[in-house]
Amino acid sequence: MSRNTGNPICGVIEEDMEFAETNCSSGYQKPPWLFKGSALYQLHLVKSETARAFIPKECRLVEAFGYTLGGFFLASYDHSPAGIFDELVVVAGIVWNPPTSCAWAARVLVSSNDACDHGRKDVGLPSHVARFSKRITVTPTMTKPKSKYGGLSKSIGLDATLSSPEDGMDIRVTEIKGASATDICRINLTTLVPGLKSNKWMGPQIKMTLPSFSGRTEYNPNLLKYSCHMDCRVRTVQPVKVLGPSLGLEIDREQSPEDPCCKNMGSITSGDDGRDLSISVMLSRPIIALQFSCLKMTVEAPVVISNCSRTT
């Protein structure tokens, strides 16, 4: 991420493109589209074999030692063209686009039908409707007693250790398709609960641009590129814990590339295989997490590009 410095992870470049024809979904007026809220951007090391299952074959994955940089973007918007909604963007990896690189979304889960429709048709995203079930949790943090009688209380069977509550939230993300519902993951946020007051430093105010590729889906077959311009407060935080579906147990983070679900997938954007691989991205190894507060995100209209570059 950068402030348009042209590094290989994030930046803005000029190239020959044409604007995609945008027939805006209900609630979405002409671009650019403005979103306000808060978000967590967590970067993971993702197996290259997993990431390649999502990106077009003509695109070149940015990778090293069998891994690329993926992760997820979890946002809670209190203002948007679709109103209030939650969003989880699963980022498969980084695709080379000289002189910069762009993120590629493996799956986008939103709690709004309008946002889903807009993402699919107007931005070329693999969007799906989901339910975000939130539960506030209180995790006791143990501290040493200040009382000089601590030893006495312990000797008579009383725990002299004091408990101090720490705010947290469990978010259960469930994909909804018709009458069926499929658990995707559970995300455990600690001291990152939206809407709760905090006296923690929120970080410096910065402006940056996140370029991304999209398209090549059943709803939008074009290869697209769009940018999110962000104005927010940013600080690094401890990576949050992500639990898998079913019993909420963490799946092996070092999934073997020989796993059958990672082989011969081609470019996928939907279906059970795409969902399962998206879950494996969520459960890959985290390396850093960034908290975005006072977020104002402006999304530009996507542009159609001819192809991804495979040259260096």
Side-chain angles (χ1 to χ4, degrees), residues 16-39:
D16 294 331
M17 306 179 193
E18 60 177 299
F19 284 96
E21 183 179 351
T22 303
N23 297 317
C24 297
S25 305
S26 175
Y28 283 78
Q29 303 302 318
K30 292 183 178 180
W33 301 291
L34 177 64
F35 300 78
K36 297 180 181 180
S38 58

Side-chain angles (χ1 to χ4, degrees), residues 46-57 59-64 66-68 92-93 95 104 257 262 264-268 277 281 310:
V46 178
K47 289 281 190 179
S48 298
E49 289 84 354
T50 301
R52 286 198 190 97
F54 295 99
I55 68 171
K57 295 183 182 300
C59 294
R60 178 172 175 262
L61 188 69
V62 178
E63 60 180 318
Y67 289 89
T68 186
V95 176
W104 190 281
C262 295
N264 302 321
M265 292 300 300
S267 179
I268 58 177
L277 284 179
V281 171
R310 291 192 60 87

